[in-house]
Amino acid sequence: MEIGKKDLYWNYAATFLRIAASILLMPFILKKLPSEDVGIWSVFITITAFSNLLDFGFNPSFTRNISYIFSGVTNLKSSGFEIIEFNSKKSINYSLLKGAISIMKSFYFKMSLILFIILSTVGTFYIMTLIENYKNDKTEVLIAWSILCIISTYNLYTLYYDSLLLGKGLIKKSKQITIIGQSVYLLIAILLIILGFGLIAIVSAQAISVIIIRFLSYNAFFNQDTKFQLNQVEERSSKQIMNAIYPNAIKIGITTLGSFLVQKSSLIIGSLYLSLSDIASYGITFQLISVISLVAFIYPMTFQPKIAHLRIINDLKGIKNIYLFSQLTLFLTYIFCGFVLVIAGNWSLEIIHSQTLLLSSLIITVALIISYLECNHSLAGIFLLSKNEVPFFKAAIFSGLFTVLLLFLFF
């Protein structure tokens, strides 16, 4: 599997465009939207992150197993992996690939249906409770929420396109598609915000962007040759593939849930106790910290399919080199970007006359340290998962539940 500097550069370009989009969009949001709307927008972002929880760890598992298939394995295992000789001729088992695709489509259809039911019932009740004392137009919030429900459902249903592209090693193509989608999102969002559409502008731009990304992703993977090869074979038994993927995927899902509870539950629980203005400051601060973690993870995430491939051919030296360089980029990114955020964060917002400012420098510093530690063990997790083992899922869910209990206690 050939993943090199071009893939890394395109990943950096796509990530920096996502960051640039957030940075370029933020002044319009902070200047045009009152603090209450910014607070609701922060809640929307957290709910979007919650939507991804219903993937329940299957996306990275699917991606890893698709990488195994394109590396030449003929069978998938629930634990461990099939070793392929380094110099052996690689042939793709399209019967196994077809079965995996069928499993993914079926799984995400069910999960997206569950998500839509949760968002349209429990989610709507939560939003109605949140805007009970809202001073502006509640109809605008509800329209924006409706669009968010629909596009979040569609995004989850088509999430397996990501697994297919990344698992095949099409990193550059995937990031080029992301750049197109982000550019569309930025242009439409800015235009609609200027025209006064508020929250509706942001979620509408997000919806159009997701649809474009999914359309291009489908066509990038299912080219003429791939379609021909898949049509020539009978798909492998769905039960056999599911039994191989299911155990570790569930463990990863538990780990993801624990991570979500640690990182995101504070905003959802806090919005029930604090004012929307306070939540706005908290939300903006942690969005910027999440940007830093995103940049820090570009290198290891780019080479994640290659790490799986190196496991298959038992190249431990190659894995070690990627891990050490990932550690270095993680540390340097947090030192540099964290310093800039603490020193220039609020100063930058004051220049644009933002109605919402960041939290205090002390809290930002503590949050940066916590975020770095989370990224550090997440990085180790990426390399452990390439062995098709999940040894840390119990610790993750325990940490998540303990965090929620402490949040309620302290509030």
Side-chain angles (χ1 to χ4, degrees):
M1 184 173 293
E2 294 297 325
I3 298 177
K5 290 182 179 180
K6 287 185 179 180
D7 300 278
L8 181 62
Y9 296 153
W10 276 105
N11 200 349
Y12 270 111
T15 304
F16 280 122
L17 180 60
R18 286 175 62 184
I19 296 168
S22 300
I23 292 173
L24 291 172
L25 191 59
M26 199 170 287
F28 292 94
I29 292 173
L30 295 176
K31 197 166 185 178
K32 290 285 185 178
L33 272 61
S35 285
E36 282 192 327
D37 283 8
V38 176
I40 292 173
W41 176 54
S42 298
V43 171
F44 278 7
I45 291 173
T46 305
I47 289 174
T48 301
F50 164 77
S51 302
N52 294 330
L53 279 181
L54 277 184
D55 163 60
F56 213 70
F58 275 78
N59 189 260
S61 293
F62 285 139
T63 301
R64 188 172 61 258
N65 281 283
I66 293 296
S67 294
Y68 291 160
I69 293 172
F70 277 98
S71 294
V73 303
T74 56
N75 289 290
L76 300 176
K77 298 183 178 182
S78 60
S79 181
F81 46 87
E82 181 182 330
I83 297 291
I84 302 294
E85 291 297 326
F86 181 75
N87 294 319
S88 64
K89 186 177 180 182
K90 180 186 71 173
S91 61
I92 300 167
N93 189 317
Y94 281 96
S95 175
L96 185 59
L97 177 62
K98 190 173 184 177
I101 292 172
S102 178
I103 284 289
M104 289 190 284
K105 289 174 70 174
S106 174
F107 172 78
Y108 282 118
F109 174 76
K110 294 171 185 174
M111 290 301 102
S112 61
L113 192 61
I114 293 172
L115 174 64
F116 184 75
I117 293 171
I118 292 174
L119 291 179
S120 59
T121 54
V122 178
T124 301
F125 176 77
Y126 171 76
I127 294 296
M128 292 296 292
T129 303
L130 192 65
I131 63 173
E132 205 168 282
N133 299 315
Y134 183 66
K135 298 172 185 175
N136 300 313
D137 185 7
K138 294 182 180 180
T139 303
E140 179 186 323
V141 177
L142 294 176
I143 292 173
W145 170 247
S146 300
I147 297 171
L148 187 69
C149 288
I150 294 169
I151 199 58
S152 295
T153 302
Y154 173 74
N155 188 48
L156 181 61
Y157 174 59
T158 53
L159 190 61
Y160 69 94
Y161 293 175
D162 291 347
S163 295
L164 291 174
L165 284 179
L166 297 177
K168 192 177 180 181
L170 298 175
I171 309 298
K172 183 173 78 171
K173 176 64 70 175
S174 173
K175 299 314 169 184
Q176 288 171 338
I177 291 170
T178 300
I179 287 172
I180 294 171
Q182 284 294 316
S183 300
V184 170
Y185 166 71
L186 181 61
L187 291 173
I188 294 177
I190 289 175
L191 177 62
L192 293 180
I193 289 172
I194 291 173
L195 292 175
F197 285 95
L199 290 170
I200 295 175
I202 304 172
V203 294
S204 297
Q206 182 183 346
I208 295 169
S209 173
V210 167
I211 291 169
I212 290 173
I213 288 173
R214 293 308 190 213
F215 174 78
L216 294 175
S217 297
Y218 176 87
N219 286 287
F221 182 85
F222 292 101
N223 55 35
Q224 195 170 7
D225 179 61
T226 301
K227 285 182 179 179
F228 174 78
Q229 295 290 350
L230 290 172
N231 288 332
Q232 299 305 305
V233 297
E234 293 289 330
E235 71 178 55
R236 184 74 66 87
S237 166
S238 298
K239 184 178 180 181
Q240 180 187 2
I241 298 172
M242 200 64 178
N243 287 340
I245 297 174
Y246 180 83
N248 280 337
I250 292 296
K251 292 177 182 178
I252 297 171
I254 293 172
T255 303
T256 305
L257 175 60
S259 177
F260 177 85
L261 293 174
V262 170
Q263 297 177 25
K264 303 293 185 182
S265 60
S266 52
L267 197 143
I268 291 179
I269 296 171
S271 63
L272 299 174
Y273 292 90
L274 305 174
S275 69
L276 284 173
S277 296
D278 289 336
I279 289 298
S281 293
Y282 182 90
I284 292 296
T285 301
F286 276 81
Q287 280 178 52
L288 292 174
I289 292 175
S290 70
V291 166
I292 295 175
S293 67
L294 187 67
V295 174
F297 253 63
I298 292 175
Y299 186 86
M301 292 305 292
T302 300
F303 288 95
Q304 192 170 6
K306 187 168 185 177
I307 296 166
H309 173 69
L310 292 173
R311 284 287 184 199
I312 292 295
I313 63 174
N314 202 31
D315 186 354
L316 299 183
K317 183 179 179 181
I319 293 173
K320 180 180 178 181
N321 289 338
I322 295 174
Y323 178 74
L324 292 175
F325 202 83
S326 298
Q327 279 281 5
L328 180 63
T329 55
L330 177 68
F331 179 75
L332 293 179
T333 301
Y334 265 86
I335 290 294
F336 176 74
C337 296
F339 179 78
V340 172
L341 180 61
V342 171
I343 299 300
N346 273 325
W347 174 74
S348 301
L349 294 179
E350 287 168 356
I351 289 177
I352 64 171
H353 305 292
S354 169
Q355 299 180 50
T356 306
L357 295 176
L358 305 179
L359 301 173
S360 69
S361 296
L362 178 60
I363 294 179
I364 294 175
T365 302
V366 173
L368 282 166
I369 293 171
I370 295 169
S371 179
Y372 171 76
L373 294 173
E374 288 172 348
C375 283
N376 184 53
H377 71 246
S378 295
L379 176 62
I382 289 175
F383 286 81
L384 289 171
L385 287 172
S386 68
K387 299 167 70 175
N388 203 25
E389 297 173 359
V390 191
F392 44 79
F393 72 99
K394 291 181 181 178
I397 194 63
F398 174 80
S399 299
L401 292 174
F402 197 63
T403 298
V404 171
L405 288 174
L406 287 177
L407 277 169
F408 278 114
L409 176 64
F410 292 155
F411 273 122

